[in-house]
Amino acid sequence: MAQQSLGSKKEEILGKLKEAGASGLTKGGLGIKEAKSSGARALKALEEEREVANLGTPKKTRYVLMEFYKPLELACDQIESNAKEARLSRSEILELLSRKDLEKGCIGEIRKKVDEAIDWLVKERKLLRFRRGRVSYCVHVKHVKDLLVEEEAPRIERRETPIPRQVPGRSEVLNAYKRAKERLGYSNVEIYELQKELGAPMDQVKAFLLEENRRGNAVLSLGDWSLSSDETRSGAIELLGKPHLLVRFRDEA
């Protein structure tokens, strides 16, 4: 009877977290108020079984299903958002942000990934890093580009330029994925093959796949780096320090 009660409580918790999605719930939101209650035991069991995880802290909890437990990606999103919000100072000089500025809004497990996330964003050329003595500062690449454009605009004659191709739409990518899958004969498609089928710039394809992966719509897999050609390696998306060469969409509809 006790096992049935524990199992029922686990299903109840999983149901609530599934409904909450990426936002997650606190212990209170899960209806757990006492440390020795059946709900607390069920939650602990689910953590041990790696069904759920706490993105927050022991005191300020934020439980999510494992499919939403992506502290590094969430840290990247928050840091990039903080960097984008910075503006030019009154003296028209770019505002350099310290680690403390960049980590605002990051708590719990997400905060533990701040340094790794900053390194990732610098590598992806989303942030530029500068050093002043022993202290590092960052600025978002967008603000540097905007400042350069503002300085150069009065000096050059305006003329029409071709509009760069925008990030491909989801339906367009899925159609290209289906064609590549049918051509290759398997669901895990090389990112390079998808980009070739789509005909879009590789950086835009990678940005799209990272967002789809963050939303849980696309699964990125490692593939065999040692046996891959340089062309295949050009499509690598680095996650958690490892190059992922393959992608599979959960829903092709």
Side-chain angles (χ1 to χ4, degrees):
M1 183 65 69
Q3 290 181 346
Q4 290 180 350
S5 176
L6 184 64
S8 175
K9 201 66 182 176
K10 287 164 67 175
E11 289 298 322
E12 180 184 333
I13 291 172
L14 290 173
K16 288 182 178 180
L17 290 179
K18 183 176 181 180
E19 185 176 350
S23 299
L25 291 170
T26 63
K27 276 188 177 181
L30 291 171
I32 300 172
K33 298 180 179 180
E34 297 180 5
K36 296 183 179 181
S37 65
S38 60
R41 293 197 301 272
L43 182 60
K44 183 178 180 181
L46 288 171
E47 286 188 271
E48 292 173 349
E49 294 164 7
R50 296 189 61 79
E51 292 283 339
V52 306
N54 180 18
L55 271 173
T57 65
K59 291 185 177 181
K60 194 173 181 180
T61 57
R62 179 186 167 191
Y63 285 93
V64 294
L65 297 177
M66 284 305 297
E67 65 183 283
F68 299 112
Y69 184 74
K70 301 175 181 179
L72 177 58
E73 288 89 337
L74 292 170
C76 285
D77 289 345
Q78 184 61 49
I79 290 168
E80 186 174 6
S81 175
N82 291 340
K84 281 184 175 179
E85 288 177 1
R87 300 298 179 191
L88 294 177
S89 67
R90 291 181 179 178
S91 57
E92 297 301 310
I93 298 175
L94 286 170
E95 180 183 356
L96 299 181
L97 304 178
S98 66
R99 184 187 188 281
K100 186 176 181 180
D101 296 321
L102 292 170
E103 71 179 11
K104 289 178 181 177
C106 297
I107 62 173
E109 294 301 309
I110 300 173
R111 189 168 188 172
K112 294 178 182 179
K113 295 291 184 178
V114 165
D115 290 327
E116 189 176 350
I118 292 174
D119 289 341
W120 168 262
L121 291 169
V122 170
K123 185 175 181 180
E124 288 295 300
R125 299 180 182 178
K126 300 288 184 66
L127 296 180
L128 292 177
R129 179 156 43 196
F130 303 89
R131 291 190 182 277
R132 186 178 294 166
R134 295 184 178 181
V135 182
S136 293
Y137 297 89
C138 290
V139 62
H140 200 281
V141 171
K142 176 182 180 298
H143 297 319
V144 178
K145 291 180 178 178
D146 290 347
L147 182 60
L148 291 175
V149 169
E150 289 176 6
E151 288 184 349
E152 290 296 325
R155 305 177 192 174
I156 61 176
E157 181 181 354
R158 292 183 176 271
R159 62 178 180 268
E160 292 186 5
T161 56
I163 299 174
R165 183 168 181 174
Q166 299 299 311
V167 176
R170 191 167 192 274
S171 60
E172 187 180 357
V173 176
L174 286 178
N175 287 333
Y177 169 75
K178 289 178 183 178
R179 294 195 300 272
K181 186 176 71 170
E182 292 171 359
R183 173 165 56 83
L184 299 171
Y186 41 80
S187 298
N188 281 315
V189 172
E190 291 178 354
I191 295 169
Y192 165 73
E193 292 290 343
L194 174 61
Q195 182 263 339
K196 187 169 65 173
E197 189 73 41
L198 189 59
M202 181 63 85
D203 60 339
Q204 294 184 3
V205 175
K206 289 182 179 181
F208 177 88
L209 294 180
L210 276 171
E211 179 63 19
E212 288 294 289
N213 175 255
R214 188 183 71 80
R215 294 173 180 271
N217 298 327
V219 179
L220 298 175
S221 303
L222 294 172
D224 194 331
W225 182 266
S226 63
L227 298 179
S228 299
S229 65
D230 290 340
E231 289 182 331
T232 298
R233 291 179 179 180
S234 70
I237 294 177
E238 190 169 340
L239 286 177
L240 303 178
K242 295 182 179 180
H244 291 60
L245 300 172
L246 310 175
V247 63
R248 174 175 59 82
F249 282 92
R250 296 181 185 274
D251 179 15
E252 301 173 32

